[in-house]
Amino acid sequence: MAGRPKRRTPTELLYFSGKKAPDANTELCTMADMPVPIRIARNKEMKQIWDFICADMESRQCLSATYAITISELIETLTLMNKCRKEMDKEGGLIIDKRDDEGNYLGSVESPYVKILARQQGVLLKLLEKLGMTPRDITYLMRADVTPDKMVTGFVTEVRGMQYWSDN
């Protein structure tokens, strides 16, 4: 019975693919070389986020002009989420009072901003992963072949089906 195939690191996959390795410095750029979309350049808040993200990526030596679209989408998502949160704060939170044209109370309903915010959170996390900006991705970029200092082992207790893990 064959075991599960060993997972290969990106470096191993590239090495065994027969393809020529890309020059690591080919696409890198500085923040000054990064093309800023007009919509972001004209908005002070969006430009501050742009500068922050680009400075972070430049310091981690992973900034490329090809990421401009992804970074701008990340900023658009962050801006929309911020707007939703501000509107929710203005309305009083997650639940709002529904009233008719004469001002009569009809009941409470969920704020429409809750649904917009919930949809954008998934988009935000995906964009952060694409740019390598989650803690897991940053750790992987710094140390691609991470191995634990201590080995983690599993053992089964006398209680059937209970497995515990130990770093001893």
mmCIF file of all heavy atoms in Angstrom, residues 85-124:
data_model
loop_
_atom_site.group_PDB
_atom_site.id
_atom_site.type_symbol
_atom_site.label_atom_id
_atom_site.label_comp_id
_atom_site.label_asym_id
_atom_site.label_seq_id
_atom_site.Cartn_x
_atom_site.Cartn_y
_atom_site.Cartn_z
ATOM 1 N N ARG A 85 -18.643 50.214 8.204
ATOM 2 C CA ARG A 85 -18.546 50.321 9.672
ATOM 3 C C ARG A 85 -18.963 51.715 10.159
ATOM 4 O O ARG A 85 -19.633 51.848 11.182
ATOM 5 C CB ARG A 85 -17.126 49.990 10.113
ATOM 6 C CG ARG A 85 -16.848 48.507 9.992
ATOM 7 C CD ARG A 85 -15.541 48.113 10.653
ATOM 8 N NE ARG A 85 -15.414 46.673 10.654
ATOM 9 C CZ ARG A 85 -14.543 45.994 9.919
ATOM 10 N NH1 ARG A 85 -13.709 46.636 9.126
ATOM 11 N NH2 ARG A 85 -14.496 44.682 9.989
ATOM 12 N N LYS A 86 -18.577 52.750 9.429
ATOM 13 C CA LYS A 86 -18.981 54.105 9.803
ATOM 14 C C LYS A 86 -20.495 54.262 9.728
ATOM 15 O O LYS A 86 -21.116 54.859 10.610
ATOM 16 C CB LYS A 86 -18.305 55.134 8.888
ATOM 17 C CG LYS A 86 -16.852 55.374 9.200
ATOM 18 C CD LYS A 86 -16.250 56.389 8.243
ATOM 19 C CE LYS A 86 -14.780 56.611 8.524
ATOM 20 N NZ LYS A 86 -14.179 57.561 7.559
ATOM 21 N N GLU A 87 -21.102 53.733 8.661
ATOM 22 C CA GLU A 87 -22.559 53.817 8.509
ATOM 23 C C GLU A 87 -23.268 53.028 9.601
ATOM 24 O O GLU A 87 -24.293 53.468 10.119
ATOM 25 C CB GLU A 87 -22.991 53.319 7.124
ATOM 26 C CG GLU A 87 -22.587 54.235 5.989
ATOM 27 C CD GLU A 87 -23.223 55.616 6.091
ATOM 28 O OE1 GLU A 87 -24.406 55.721 6.485
ATOM 29 O OE2 GLU A 87 -22.541 56.605 5.773
ATOM 30 N N MET A 88 -22.725 51.869 9.954
ATOM 31 C CA MET A 88 -23.320 51.069 11.026
ATOM 32 C C MET A 88 -23.230 51.819 12.355
ATOM 33 O O MET A 88 -24.176 51.797 13.148
ATOM 34 C CB MET A 88 -22.643 49.700 11.117
ATOM 35 C CG MET A 88 -23.042 48.781 9.977
ATOM 36 S SD MET A 88 -22.060 47.270 9.822
ATOM 37 C CE MET A 88 -22.037 46.622 11.462
ATOM 38 N N ASP A 89 -22.115 52.483 12.605
ATOM 39 C CA ASP A 89 -21.970 53.273 13.830
ATOM 40 C C ASP A 89 -22.979 54.423 13.840
ATOM 41 O O ASP A 89 -23.566 54.740 14.867
ATOM 42 C CB ASP A 89 -20.551 53.828 13.962
ATOM 43 C CG ASP A 89 -19.529 52.766 14.311
ATOM 44 O OD1 ASP A 89 -19.935 51.654 14.746
ATOM 45 O OD2 ASP A 89 -18.319 53.027 14.137
ATOM 46 N N LYS A 90 -23.178 55.045 12.682
ATOM 47 C CA LYS A 90 -24.113 56.162 12.564
ATOM 48 C C LYS A 90 -25.557 55.697 12.818
ATOM 49 O O LYS A 90 -26.342 56.381 13.457
ATOM 50 C CB LYS A 90 -24.015 56.770 11.158
ATOM 51 C CG LYS A 90 -24.277 58.243 11.108
ATOM 52 C CD LYS A 90 -24.330 58.809 9.717
ATOM 53 C CE LYS A 90 -23.106 58.548 8.879
ATOM 54 N NZ LYS A 90 -23.170 59.167 7.550
ATOM 55 N N GLU A 91 -25.887 54.503 12.286
ATOM 56 C CA GLU A 91 -27.242 53.966 12.426
ATOM 57 C C GLU A 91 -27.491 53.336 13.792
ATOM 58 O O GLU A 91 -28.622 53.038 14.131
ATOM 59 C CB GLU A 91 -27.505 52.914 11.350
ATOM 60 C CG GLU A 91 -27.626 53.480 9.963
ATOM 61 C CD GLU A 91 -27.841 52.394 8.918
ATOM 62 O OE1 GLU A 91 -27.678 51.192 9.242
ATOM 63 O OE2 GLU A 91 -28.178 52.739 7.785
ATOM 64 N N GLY A 92 -26.427 53.054 14.524
ATOM 65 C CA GLY A 92 -26.613 52.470 15.849
ATOM 66 C C GLY A 92 -26.226 51.006 15.954
ATOM 67 O O GLY A 92 -26.568 50.348 16.925
ATOM 68 N N GLY A 93 -25.570 50.455 14.960
ATOM 69 C CA GLY A 93 -25.080 49.086 15.092
ATOM 70 C C GLY A 93 -25.587 48.125 14.033
ATOM 71 O O GLY A 93 -25.901 48.517 12.911
ATOM 72 N N LEU A 94 -25.691 46.875 14.440
ATOM 73 C CA LEU A 94 -26.051 45.799 13.515
ATOM 74 C C LEU A 94 -27.542 45.791 13.176
ATOM 75 O O LEU A 94 -27.940 45.341 12.116
ATOM 76 C CB LEU A 94 -25.665 44.444 14.113
ATOM 77 C CG LEU A 94 -24.203 44.263 14.499
ATOM 78 C CD1 LEU A 94 -24.001 42.939 15.217
ATOM 79 C CD2 LEU A 94 -23.320 44.350 13.281
ATOM 80 N N ILE A 95 -28.369 46.261 14.113
ATOM 81 C CA ILE A 95 -29.823 46.258 13.946
ATOM 82 C C ILE A 95 -30.310 47.700 13.852
ATOM 83 O O ILE A 95 -29.889 48.564 14.620
ATOM 84 C CB ILE A 95 -30.521 45.564 15.155
ATOM 85 C CG1 ILE A 95 -29.953 44.163 15.400
ATOM 86 C CG2 ILE A 95 -32.027 45.532 14.980
ATOM 87 C CD1 ILE A 95 -30.190 43.185 14.273
ATOM 88 N N ILE A 96 -31.198 47.941 12.883
ATOM 89 C CA ILE A 96 -31.761 49.286 12.732
ATOM 90 C C ILE A 96 -33.280 49.216 12.849
ATOM 91 O O ILE A 96 -33.889 48.159 12.620
ATOM 92 C CB ILE A 96 -31.366 49.932 11.388
ATOM 93 C CG1 ILE A 96 -31.803 49.072 10.200
ATOM 94 C CG2 ILE A 96 -29.874 50.192 11.326
ATOM 95 C CD1 ILE A 96 -31.613 49.724 8.854
ATOM 96 N N ASP A 97 -33.872 50.332 13.219
ATOM 97 C CA ASP A 97 -35.328 50.412 13.295
ATOM 98 C C ASP A 97 -35.887 50.709 11.918
ATOM 99 O O ASP A 97 -35.395 51.586 11.207
ATOM 100 C CB ASP A 97 -35.762 51.516 14.269
ATOM 101 C CG ASP A 97 -35.404 51.193 15.702
ATOM 102 O OD1 ASP A 97 -35.254 49.988 16.014
ATOM 103 O OD2 ASP A 97 -35.279 52.127 16.510
ATOM 104 N N LYS A 98 -36.910 49.983 11.535
ATOM 105 C CA LYS A 98 -37.589 50.180 10.247
ATOM 106 C C LYS A 98 -38.836 51.013 10.515
ATOM 107 O O LYS A 98 -39.609 50.713 11.421
ATOM 108 C CB LYS A 98 -37.954 48.809 9.667
ATOM 109 C CG LYS A 98 -38.559 48.849 8.319
ATOM 110 C CD LYS A 98 -37.511 48.615 7.283
ATOM 111 C CE LYS A 98 -38.232 48.453 5.954
ATOM 112 N NZ LYS A 98 -37.408 48.770 4.863
ATOM 113 N N ARG A 99 -39.023 52.073 9.743
ATOM 114 C CA ARG A 99 -40.176 52.953 9.911
ATOM 115 C C ARG A 99 -40.850 53.186 8.559
ATOM 116 O O ARG A 99 -40.198 53.143 7.524
ATOM 117 C CB ARG A 99 -39.744 54.276 10.514
ATOM 118 C CG ARG A 99 -39.099 54.104 11.893
ATOM 119 C CD ARG A 99 -38.924 55.422 12.595
ATOM 120 N NE ARG A 99 -38.315 55.235 13.883
ATOM 121 C CZ ARG A 99 -38.970 54.959 15.004
ATOM 122 N NH1 ARG A 99 -40.282 54.851 14.984
ATOM 123 N NH2 ARG A 99 -38.338 54.816 16.140
ATOM 124 N N ASP A 100 -42.145 53.454 8.592
ATOM 125 C CA ASP A 100 -42.862 53.738 7.346
ATOM 126 C C ASP A 100 -42.714 55.214 6.993
ATOM 127 O O ASP A 100 -42.004 55.959 7.672
ATOM 128 C CB ASP A 100 -44.331 53.312 7.441
ATOM 129 C CG ASP A 100 -45.117 54.088 8.485
ATOM 130 O OD1 ASP A 100 -44.616 55.115 8.991
ATOM 131 O OD2 ASP A 100 -46.253 53.664 8.800
ATOM 132 N N ASP A 101 -43.398 55.657 5.943
ATOM 133 C CA ASP A 101 -43.287 57.039 5.455
ATOM 134 C C ASP A 101 -43.740 58.078 6.481
ATOM 135 O O ASP A 101 -43.270 59.209 6.475
ATOM 136 C CB ASP A 101 -44.092 57.219 4.163
ATOM 137 C CG ASP A 101 -43.511 56.413 3.022
ATOM 138 O OD1 ASP A 101 -42.302 56.077 3.095
ATOM 139 O OD2 ASP A 101 -44.246 56.115 2.058
ATOM 140 N N GLU A 102 -44.659 57.681 7.368
ATOM 141 C CA GLU A 102 -45.149 58.605 8.393
ATOM 142 C C GLU A 102 -44.306 58.560 9.659
ATOM 143 O O GLU A 102 -44.579 59.271 10.616
ATOM 144 C CB GLU A 102 -46.604 58.295 8.764
ATOM 145 C CG GLU A 102 -47.610 58.711 7.706
ATOM 146 C CD GLU A 102 -47.867 57.583 6.706
ATOM 147 O OE1 GLU A 102 -47.878 56.408 7.106
ATOM 148 O OE2 GLU A 102 -48.032 57.906 5.530
ATOM 149 N N GLY A 103 -43.296 57.704 9.720
ATOM 150 C CA GLY A 103 -42.439 57.612 10.888
ATOM 151 C C GLY A 103 -42.883 56.585 11.913
ATOM 152 O O GLY A 103 -42.349 56.528 13.016
ATOM 153 N N ASN A 104 -43.893 55.780 11.569
ATOM 154 C CA ASN A 104 -44.364 54.748 12.493
ATOM 155 C C ASN A 104 -43.373 53.588 12.528
ATOM 156 O O ASN A 104 -42.875 53.139 11.498
ATOM 157 C CB ASN A 104 -45.746 54.229 12.071
ATOM 158 C CG ASN A 104 -46.784 55.326 12.090
ATOM 159 O OD1 ASN A 104 -46.788 56.172 12.978
ATOM 160 N ND2 ASN A 104 -47.660 55.329 11.093
ATOM 161 N N TYR A 105 -43.138 53.109 13.729
ATOM 162 C CA TYR A 105 -42.189 52.002 13.941
ATOM 163 C C TYR A 105 -42.776 50.708 13.382
ATOM 164 O O TYR A 105 -43.883 50.298 13.716
ATOM 165 C CB TYR A 105 -41.901 51.868 15.441
ATOM 166 C CG TYR A 105 -40.992 50.721 15.798
ATOM 167 C CD1 TYR A 105 -39.627 50.810 15.573
ATOM 168 C CD2 TYR A 105 -41.494 49.563 16.352
ATOM 169 C CE1 TYR A 105 -38.779 49.763 15.905
ATOM 170 C CE2 TYR A 105 -40.671 48.505 16.690
ATOM 171 C CZ TYR A 105 -39.312 48.614 16.467
ATOM 172 O OH TYR A 105 -38.481 47.579 16.797
ATOM 173 N N LEU A 106 -41.994 50.022 12.514
ATOM 174 C CA LEU A 106 -42.443 48.764 11.919
ATOM 175 C C LEU A 106 -41.709 47.546 12.482
ATOM 176 O O LEU A 106 -42.126 46.425 12.276
ATOM 177 C CB LEU A 106 -42.248 48.797 10.393
ATOM 178 C CG LEU A 106 -43.003 49.880 9.636
ATOM 179 C CD1 LEU A 106 -42.597 49.884 8.178
ATOM 180 C CD2 LEU A 106 -44.503 49.674 9.782
ATOM 181 N N GLY A 107 -40.612 47.788 13.153
ATOM 182 C CA GLY A 107 -39.829 46.687 13.710
ATOM 183 C C GLY A 107 -38.343 46.918 13.488
ATOM 184 O O GLY A 107 -37.924 47.922 12.906
ATOM 185 N N SER A 108 -37.580 45.958 13.942
ATOM 186 C CA SER A 108 -36.126 46.043 13.791
ATOM 187 C C SER A 108 -35.664 45.076 12.717
ATOM 188 O O SER A 108 -36.184 43.963 12.608
ATOM 189 C CB SER A 108 -35.444 45.703 15.117
ATOM 190 O OG SER A 108 -35.785 46.650 16.100
ATOM 191 N N VAL A 109 -34.680 45.500 11.947
ATOM 192 C CA VAL A 109 -34.105 44.652 10.891
ATOM 193 C C VAL A 109 -32.581 44.781 10.924
ATOM 194 O O VAL A 109 -32.034 45.738 11.473
ATOM 195 C CB VAL A 109 -34.617 45.043 9.481
ATOM 196 C CG1 VAL A 109 -36.097 44.784 9.331
ATOM 197 C CG2 VAL A 109 -34.294 46.484 9.153
ATOM 198 N N GLU A 110 -31.941 43.812 10.309
ATOM 199 C CA GLU A 110 -30.482 43.858 10.208
ATOM 200 C C GLU A 110 -30.076 44.970 9.247
ATOM 201 O O GLU A 110 -30.687 45.156 8.195
ATOM 202 C CB GLU A 110 -29.976 42.509 9.703
ATOM 203 C CG GLU A 110 -28.484 42.409 9.596
ATOM 204 C CD GLU A 110 -28.033 41.052 9.093
ATOM 205 O OE1 GLU A 110 -28.361 40.713 7.942
ATOM 206 O OE2 GLU A 110 -27.366 40.350 9.853
ATOM 207 N N SER A 111 -29.048 45.698 9.605
ATOM 208 C CA SER A 111 -28.540 46.764 8.747
ATOM 209 C C SER A 111 -28.048 46.163 7.422
ATOM 210 O O SER A 111 -27.398 45.121 7.422
ATOM 211 C CB SER A 111 -27.380 47.481 9.445
ATOM 212 O OG SER A 111 -26.731 48.349 8.550
ATOM 213 N N PRO A 112 -28.347 46.786 6.299
ATOM 214 C CA PRO A 112 -27.856 46.252 5.021
ATOM 215 C C PRO A 112 -26.331 46.269 4.930
ATOM 216 O O PRO A 112 -25.741 45.518 4.174
ATOM 217 C CB PRO A 112 -28.480 47.180 3.973
ATOM 218 C CG PRO A 112 -28.934 48.388 4.721
ATOM 219 C CD PRO A 112 -29.156 47.987 6.128
ATOM 220 N N TYR A 113 -25.695 47.105 5.752
ATOM 221 C CA TYR A 113 -24.237 47.181 5.739
ATOM 222 C C TYR A 113 -23.595 45.916 6.321
ATOM 223 O O TYR A 113 -22.448 45.610 6.032
ATOM 224 C CB TYR A 113 -23.757 48.429 6.478
ATOM 225 C CG TYR A 113 -24.177 49.701 5.777
ATOM 226 C CD1 TYR A 113 -25.193 50.487 6.290
ATOM 227 C CD2 TYR A 113 -23.568 50.085 4.585
ATOM 228 C CE1 TYR A 113 -25.589 51.647 5.637
ATOM 229 C CE2 TYR A 113 -23.958 51.230 3.934
ATOM 230 C CZ TYR A 113 -24.964 52.010 4.458
ATOM 231 O OH TYR A 113 -25.363 53.152 3.808
ATOM 232 N N VAL A 114 -24.344 45.196 7.135
ATOM 233 C CA VAL A 114 -23.825 43.947 7.715
ATOM 234 C C VAL A 114 -23.520 42.942 6.610
ATOM 235 O O VAL A 114 -22.467 42.305 6.601
ATOM 236 C CB VAL A 114 -24.815 43.363 8.750
ATOM 237 C CG1 VAL A 114 -24.381 41.985 9.200
ATOM 238 C CG2 VAL A 114 -24.957 44.294 9.928
ATOM 239 N N LYS A 115 -24.436 42.811 5.650
ATOM 240 C CA LYS A 115 -24.237 41.857 4.554
ATOM 241 C C LYS A 115 -23.092 42.286 3.647
ATOM 242 O O LYS A 115 -22.290 41.469 3.207
ATOM 243 C CB LYS A 115 -25.525 41.693 3.750
ATOM 244 C CG LYS A 115 -26.583 40.943 4.501
ATOM 245 C CD LYS A 115 -27.829 40.774 3.690
ATOM 246 C CE LYS A 115 -28.863 40.055 4.545
ATOM 247 N NZ LYS A 115 -30.180 40.078 3.973
ATOM 248 N N ILE A 116 -23.005 43.565 3.358
ATOM 249 C CA ILE A 116 -21.917 44.070 2.515
ATOM 250 C C ILE A 116 -20.582 43.814 3.211
ATOM 251 O O ILE A 116 -19.633 43.326 2.592
ATOM 252 C CB ILE A 116 -22.101 45.576 2.222
ATOM 253 C CG1 ILE A 116 -23.376 45.817 1.424
ATOM 254 C CG2 ILE A 116 -20.879 46.133 1.491
ATOM 255 C CD1 ILE A 116 -23.781 47.276 1.320
ATOM 256 N N LEU A 117 -20.524 44.125 4.486
ATOM 257 C CA LEU A 117 -19.300 43.923 5.263
ATOM 258 C C LEU A 117 -18.909 42.452 5.308
ATOM 259 O O LEU A 117 -17.735 42.104 5.123
ATOM 260 C CB LEU A 117 -19.498 44.473 6.678
ATOM 261 C CG LEU A 117 -18.298 44.483 7.605
ATOM 262 C CD1 LEU A 117 -17.166 45.314 7.017
ATOM 263 C CD2 LEU A 117 -18.690 45.028 8.967
ATOM 264 N N ALA A 118 -19.878 41.586 5.518
ATOM 265 C CA ALA A 118 -19.599 40.142 5.580
ATOM 266 C C ALA A 118 -19.031 39.630 4.256
ATOM 267 O O ALA A 118 -18.094 38.822 4.238
ATOM 268 C CB ALA A 118 -20.869 39.373 5.949
ATOM 269 N N ARG A 119 -19.568 40.092 3.138
ATOM 270 C CA ARG A 119 -19.048 39.671 1.822
ATOM 271 C C ARG A 119 -17.628 40.185 1.598
ATOM 272 O O ARG A 119 -16.787 39.499 1.024
ATOM 273 C CB ARG A 119 -19.965 40.170 0.700
ATOM 274 C CG ARG A 119 -21.221 39.364 0.544
ATOM 275 C CD ARG A 119 -21.929 39.691 -0.770
ATOM 276 N NE ARG A 119 -22.178 41.104 -0.973
ATOM 277 C CZ ARG A 119 -23.318 41.735 -0.713
ATOM 278 N NH1 ARG A 119 -24.339 41.086 -0.206
ATOM 279 N NH2 ARG A 119 -23.453 43.021 -0.958
ATOM 280 N N GLN A 120 -17.363 41.395 2.051
ATOM 281 C CA GLN A 120 -16.049 41.994 1.816
ATOM 282 C C GLN A 120 -14.956 41.380 2.682
ATOM 283 O O GLN A 120 -13.786 41.404 2.309
ATOM 284 C CB GLN A 120 -16.110 43.508 2.039
ATOM 285 C CG GLN A 120 -16.981 44.237 1.036
ATOM 286 C CD GLN A 120 -16.605 43.914 -0.396
ATOM 287 O OE1 GLN A 120 -15.461 44.020 -0.798
ATOM 288 N NE2 GLN A 120 -17.588 43.497 -1.181
ATOM 289 N N GLN A 121 -15.308 40.826 3.835
ATOM 290 C CA GLN A 121 -14.301 40.232 4.712
ATOM 291 C C GLN A 121 -13.607 39.052 4.030
ATOM 292 O O GLN A 121 -12.388 38.913 4.118
ATOM 293 C CB GLN A 121 -14.923 39.823 6.042
ATOM 294 C CG GLN A 121 -15.222 41.025 6.910
ATOM 295 C CD GLN A 121 -16.029 40.691 8.142
ATOM 296 O OE1 GLN A 121 -16.755 39.709 8.188
ATOM 297 N NE2 GLN A 121 -15.913 41.538 9.147
ATOM 298 N N GLY A 122 -14.351 38.220 3.333
ATOM 299 C CA GLY A 122 -13.759 37.109 2.593
ATOM 300 C C GLY A 122 -12.854 37.593 1.473
ATOM 301 O O GLY A 122 -11.777 37.048 1.240
ATOM 302 N N VAL A 123 -13.302 38.627 0.781
ATOM 303 C CA VAL A 123 -12.507 39.217 -0.303
ATOM 304 C C VAL A 123 -11.202 39.779 0.264
ATOM 305 O O VAL A 123 -10.123 39.575 -0.302
ATOM 306 C CB VAL A 123 -13.306 40.323 -1.035
ATOM 307 C CG1 VAL A 123 -12.442 41.071 -2.028
ATOM 308 C CG2 VAL A 123 -14.527 39.732 -1.712
ATOM 309 N N LEU A 124 -11.313 40.480 1.394
ATOM 310 C CA LEU A 124 -10.133 41.069 2.037
ATOM 311 C C LEU A 124 -9.103 39.994 2.380
ATOM 312 O O LEU A 124 -7.919 40.137 2.063
ATOM 313 C CB LEU A 124 -10.543 41.828 3.301
ATOM 314 C CG LEU A 124 -9.393 42.359 4.153
ATOM 315 C CD1 LEU A 124 -8.657 43.471 3.414
ATOM 316 C CD2 LEU A 124 -9.903 42.841 5.492
#
